[in-house]
Amino acid sequence: MAAPALQQPSFLLANLKVDSTTKPFLQRCQELVKVIDDYPAKELHLIFPWLVESVFGSLDGVIMGWNLQFLQARSNEYNIVMDFLDPSGPMMKLVYKLQAEEYKYEIPVSFLPGPVKASIQEGVLPDCPLFHNKLQFPLSGLQTLSLALNPFEYYMFIFASSLITPKNYPLGQHVSSLDNAYFVLVDTYLKYFLPTEGSVPPSPFADNRGSVSPPAPRAPSVPFAGYGIHSTSLLKRHISHQPSVTADPAAQEIWRSEALLQVFVEIWLHHYSLEMYQKLQSPQVKETFTPTEEHVLVVRLLVKHLHAFSCSLKPEQVCSSPSAHSSPLEEFKRVVVQRFVQQKLYVFLQHCFGHWPLDASFRAVLETWLSYIQPWRYTGENTNPQTDQNKGVPEKWGLFVQENLLMYTKLFQGFLNRVVRIDLVNVKNALMVFRVAKVFAQPNLSEMIQKGEQLFLEPEHVLHHRQHRVFLTPSHGGSFLSARQSVVTDGVFRVKSHVYGLEGQDCQYKQMFGTELRGALNAGQLSQLMATLGSGQDDGNSRQLPDCVQGENGLILTDLGRMQIINGLRRFEIEYQGDPELQPIRSYENAVLVRLFFKISSLVNERFGGHMEVLCSRQDFLGRLGRHYLASPEVMADGRQRSPETRRTAERNRRPRLSLRTLASYRTLLMLLFLYLFGVLFSFGPISSTLLILTGGFLYGLFITLFGDKLKSQ
């Protein structure tokens, strides 16, 4: 799209907006490439926010963007989009062009992840250094705070947010998470900015202002120093003494890598703080964010690549201690998983394990978990999977297992809690159990986990002389470029710091190989379960209730009863157990007559209810006759219980009452019509026929009262 040099920037933006609605997609992209090449940064600055939102959609979901989640490789527009958004493509060229200047773009705090937003609104510094030195203070107060990001951070923020932003997609569109443009683009950005080989390609434009400032190590919660119209940055008074990153040219090598990872982790994983995670364990607390299956699959892609990125360190670099000769990229690889991902991924997976529906879609969460706890799968070595399975987990991964002990033990226990509640007859559910069993059956892995648990159970006095040494956990924030603390080699301190850092000092740790967990699906209980299930089948399981115990408010299922229901061995005969008169009107009933007879019977029951109870409580012939006509039909038909109900409900439904609802049935009405027609054939009038019908009903009831028990016994 050519334009005169004297054209105002507002005209450029207006023309692009018009073109976006009138011109074909290919032509629009070609003209955007020309605009990016021809116009200076001063004019491109004004179109940048609009262009990013028109591609990825707006944060509020109003603007749909290019719908990358629905763009498949077979689409004609796929290659055009991928070329335009490639890390070396026109869009990133625009980002670097603006990055070379001092341009900033605002993101309202209301669109930040929940814990970050809450921290800022409460006047506490966020943990992630991505948000440091970027808060803008408006005159209206903290509720309208915004974040000033550089072009690269802004671009990645909108890109990452488009995955979780609720949007009103057209009906019938199905997201294919493995080959759509968004998924492939995430993979491309990860491989480009977090390379497993070589270094990050430099920016094509000189960049002296856009780097990420690494704050020094600090306490987890630092309050505001003050609030007023003169404040320009949340951290200005606290870290204004820090030197700029630009003083260290080596730091420029990976600032984009760190910024990209921080954005992805914060937007995709940081939706629950540790405090909120602990509250979510209570059933009365409503969850604030629900991830989708596509969201989880993208998180798994991130986890797999970070393992490959971290494992790409050369053996001599892994074994050697950090030194001044190590490049920033090598140092980044050393700490990337533990420092940036571990805590937030643990809380994210814990939430998914506890709140995900009990269906086969849990496979995405399961594979994400299994990918994280098996970093040895992503070393890049060409090994035979069968041989590697028999060989077992290399000893060098024992340190990783110790530093991630809860990822193995606590989440395994959470998985077991799900297993006992799902239908294992379903092949997909059974496959998930097989996958977990196969992973934890790898040689050496169980020994590594047991060793980690033994270290955690060491007496507390072992730590007394080390209390002044604290790990720089993710909750302490800080860029990895900050001054590194001495490496703690003591396994006891390492494991305890990991567990207490994620679960709190007062956590009650349940051992994965302890007696309590072993006592949950052991051999003795399994044999007893199978014997009980077999006897239930021999005794006519279809007519038996599942195993229950009588509670204060009725029957309560036991673990055995749940297993009987899950495997289809026994079941409750579910039926309506409320007030029979208040059942929904059936298709074989006349709605007008049901309501009319209900009003009549309600008046009679309200007025003569006491007399009915007295009559039915008698033990003589009149009492038996009253119970036949006035007792609940369900109780008269079958006295045994088919499904659980509370005692209060049972007592209320068994009170004597007059019920006329049977007369509203079309079947009853048709039978009465035939009886009246039959009476007409014998010259009986309506009154005579009515008296004969009532007499017949009374005699039938009299017969059942006199001989009903004998007939039942025979």
Side-chain angles (χ1 to χ4, degrees):
M1 176 178 176
L6 297 178
Q7 185 180 20
Q8 297 298 319
S10 59
F11 294 157
L12 173 62
L13 179 59
N15 290 340
L16 290 176
K17 289 183 177 180
V18 173
D19 292 347
S20 66
T21 59
T22 59
K23 294 185 177 180
F25 183 77
L26 175 60
Q27 184 178 355
R28 281 185 283 148
C29 289
Q30 293 173 342
E31 292 179 351
L32 283 173
V33 172
K34 188 171 181 62
V35 166
I36 293 171
D37 290 336
D38 295 347
Y39 281 83
K42 182 178 179 181
E43 299 182 11
L44 296 175
H45 161 63
L46 295 177
I47 72 168
F48 183 64
W50 168 83
L51 180 57
V52 174
E53 286 192 345
S54 67
V55 174
F56 302 122
S58 58
L59 293 174
D60 56 9
V62 175
I63 301 176
M64 300 292 294
W66 290 356
N67 288 336
L68 299 183
Q69 287 89 339
F70 297 98
L71 191 60
Q72 308 296 321
R74 58 180 177 272
S75 171
N76 295 329
E77 300 175 348
Y78 178 85
N79 291 330
I80 301 174
V81 170
M82 298 306 295
D83 291 341
F84 187 78
L85 301 178
D86 188 80
S88 302
M91 191 67 178
M92 199 57 66
K93 181 180 179 181
L94 170 61
V95 171
Y96 293 143
K97 202 170 185 178
L98 298 173
Q99 188 73 34
E101 306 298 332
E102 294 183 349
Y103 295 120
K104 300 291 182 181
Y105 303 92
E106 293 189 356
I107 297 289
V109 168
S110 59
F111 292 111
L112 297 180
V116 178
K117 177 171 60 177
S119 175
I120 293 176
Q121 292 177 347
E122 292 172 3
V124 179
L125 295 175
D127 293 334
C128 179
L130 173 70
F131 306 114
H132 295 175
N133 283 334
K134 296 182 176 69
L135 286 173
Q136 302 298 309
F137 289 79
L139 300 179
S140 54
L142 293 178
Q143 297 299 325
T144 55
L145 283 170
S146 60
L147 206 66
L149 302 179
N150 64 43
F152 183 83
E153 295 166 341
Y154 179 83
Y155 175 84
M156 289 300 172
F157 188 96
I158 302 296
F159 171 72
S161 299
S162 66
L163 175 65
I164 63 174
T165 301
K167 298 177 182 178
N168 296 322
Y169 290 115
L171 294 176
Q173 284 191 323
H174 174 70
V175 179
S176 178
S177 302
L178 298 180
D179 62 351
N180 64 60
Y182 188 88
F183 192 88
V184 175
L185 205 56
V186 171
D187 186 52
T188 302
Y189 287 159
L190 288 173
K191 291 178 179 177
Y192 186 88
F193 294 106
L194 298 172
T196 56
E197 296 180 0
S199 59
V200 183
S203 167
F205 294 89
D207 181 5
N208 296 321
R209 303 178 181 89
S211 55
V212 178
S213 300
R218 55 178 178 80
S221 298
V222 183
F224 283 126
Y227 175 76
I229 60 175
H230 301 293
S231 298
T232 58
S233 174
L234 184 63
L235 297 180
K236 185 173 182 180
R237 301 187 182 185
H238 300 289
I239 60 173
S240 57
H241 64 282
Q242 295 179 3
S244 172
V245 174
T246 56
D248 181 12
Q252 291 286 355
E253 178 185 349
I254 55 111
W255 76 263
R256 288 171 295 162
S257 305
E258 187 178 359
L260 174 134
L261 180 58
Q262 288 177 349
V263 169
F264 285 1
V265 170
E266 291 298 313
I267 299 301
W268 294 341
L269 297 179
H270 197 188
H271 293 277
Y272 311 98
S273 62
L274 281 176
E275 296 77 11
M276 178 57 67
Y277 153 67
Q278 294 169 357
K279 293 178 182 178
L280 281 173
Q281 307 309 303
S282 303
Q284 66 270 18
V285 178
K286 184 179 180 181
E287 53 184 316
T288 56
F289 177 81
T290 304
T292 62
E293 186 176 358
E294 182 191 19
H295 179 181
V296 175
L297 288 173
V298 173
V299 170
R300 182 182 182 231
L301 176 65
L302 173 65
V303 169
K304 291 169 61 178
H305 184 80
L306 290 181
H307 276 323
F309 177 69
S310 181
C311 292
S312 63
L313 272 174
K314 298 179 181 179
E316 60 271 14
Q317 295 171 335
V318 175
C319 299
S320 61
S321 59
S323 63
H325 302 289
S326 300
S327 69
L329 186 62
E330 293 169 353
E331 292 297 294
F332 192 39
K333 291 180 179 181
R334 293 178 189 272
V335 300
V336 63
V337 175
Q338 300 299 115
R339 187 73 58 83
F340 289 91
V341 179
Q342 185 200 60
Q343 174 186 299
K344 295 180 176 66
L345 180 64
Y346 173 73
V347 177
F348 179 83
L349 290 177
Q350 275 280 35
H351 173 268
C352 291
F353 273 59
H355 294 80
W356 201 273
L358 295 173
D359 56 25
S361 65
F362 184 73
R363 179 71 183 271
V365 179
L366 183 77
E367 293 299 337
T368 303
W369 170 47
L370 296 181
S371 293
Y372 183 84
I373 64 175
Q374 298 182 92
W376 46 87
R377 293 177 53 192
Y378 308 101
T379 57
E381 301 174 359
N382 294 324
T383 57
N384 188 336
Q386 185 64 32
T387 304
D388 190 61
Q389 181 76 13
N390 298 331
K391 183 180 179 181
V393 181
E395 290 294 336
K396 65 178 181 180
W397 293 106
L399 180 63
F400 178 88
V401 174
Q402 294 175 15
E403 293 178 343
N404 295 272
L405 184 63
L406 290 175
M407 287 286 193
Y408 293 88
T409 61
K410 188 72 179 290
L411 292 182
F412 179 79
Q413 296 166 24
F415 176 72
L416 289 184
N417 291 334
R418 291 183 60 91
V419 168
V420 298
R421 292 172 172 83
I422 61 176
D423 179 14
L424 294 181
V425 178
N426 186 300
V427 177
K428 294 182 179 179
N429 291 337
L431 179 60
M432 287 192 285
V433 177
F434 171 76
R435 288 282 295 118
V436 175
K438 184 177 180 181
V439 169
F440 280 86
Q442 295 178 84
N444 301 338
L445 181 57
S446 60
E447 289 78 3
M448 292 179 180
I449 298 175
Q450 282 183 297
K451 183 178 180 180
E453 291 191 323
Q454 292 170 359
L455 291 173
F456 176 75
L457 296 175
E458 287 289 332
E460 288 294 331
H461 64 78
V462 177
L463 298 180
H464 288 345
H465 68 286
R466 304 187 184 95
Q467 289 299 317
H468 66 284
R469 295 156 65 180
V470 180
F471 275 125
L472 186 61
T473 59
S475 62
H476 286 79
S479 166
F480 91 98
L481 292 175
S482 308
R484 294 191 58 175
Q485 299 186 3
S486 59
V487 178
V488 180
T489 58
D490 186 82
V492 176
F493 183 71
R494 182 191 308 112
V495 176
K496 286 183 179 288
S497 297
H498 159 68
V499 175
Y500 290 146
L502 292 180
E503 291 289 332
Q505 293 287 339
D506 56 347
C507 72
Q508 299 294 324
Y509 182 79
K510 184 185 297 184
Q511 298 181 57
M512 181 173 176
F513 297 98
T515 56
E516 183 179 357
L517 191 60
R518 288 180 182 272
L521 292 171
N522 61 34
Q525 288 181 326
L526 183 61
S527 300
Q528 181 182 4
L529 173 64
M530 297 306 297
T532 306
L533 295 181
S535 63
Q537 288 179 324
D538 297 337
D539 198 21
N541 60 348
S542 62
R543 296 189 59 81
Q544 280 193 336
L545 292 179
D547 190 65
C548 301
V549 294
Q550 185 67 42
E552 181 179 354
N553 294 320
L555 297 178
I556 301 176
L557 273 175
T558 64
D559 291 338
L560 174 59
R562 293 190 184 94
M563 293 299 296
Q564 290 170 337
I565 292 178
I566 289 174
N567 292 281
L569 299 175
R570 294 187 186 179
R571 62 184 177 86
F572 289 110
E573 296 181 17
I574 304 299
E575 62 182 21
Y576 182 81
Q577 292 193 339
D579 188 341
E581 296 298 305
L582 298 180
Q583 296 185 61
I585 298 175
R586 304 296 198 268
S587 59
Y588 55 81
E589 293 178 321
N590 185 285
V592 177
L593 291 180
V594 169
R595 297 187 179 97
L596 176 62
F597 289 146
F598 174 73
K599 292 181 180 179
I600 295 174
S601 59
S602 297
L603 291 174
V604 174
N605 292 330
E606 183 178 355
R607 185 166 183 178
F608 302 103
H611 299 285
M612 294 178 184
E613 290 189 14
V614 172
L615 175 63
C616 293
S617 63
R618 296 176 59 169
Q619 300 301 319
D620 55 8
F621 175 77
L622 290 179
R624 293 168 58 191
L625 187 63
R627 286 191 292 272
H628 172 76
Y629 285 109
L630 300 177
S632 173
E634 286 77 6
V635 177
M636 291 297 297
D638 192 353
R640 68 184 180 92
Q641 193 174 19
R642 290 183 173 86
S643 58
E645 64 176 338
T646 62
R647 293 178 179 177
R648 183 180 303 176
T649 302
E651 292 174 358
R652 183 178 65 248
N653 294 341
R654 292 168 185 170
R655 291 173 184 171
R657 71 182 75 189
L658 174 66
S659 177
L660 302 176
R661 183 160 179 169
T662 306
L663 300 178
S665 169
Y666 289 119
R667 180 180 178 182
T668 303
L669 294 175
L670 184 60
M671 184 176 64
L672 290 175
L673 178 60
F674 281 128
L675 290 176
Y676 278 106
L677 291 177
F678 189 74
V680 172
L681 295 178
F682 291 91
S683 302
F684 288 108
I687 297 177
S688 301
S689 298
T690 302
L691 291 175
L692 286 174
I693 293 172
L694 292 177
T695 302
F698 176 76
L699 292 175
Y700 174 77
L702 189 64
F703 177 81
I704 293 297
T705 302
L706 291 173
F707 305 104
D709 294 338
K710 294 182 180 180
L711 293 175
K712 287 183 179 179
S713 63
Q714 292 178 358

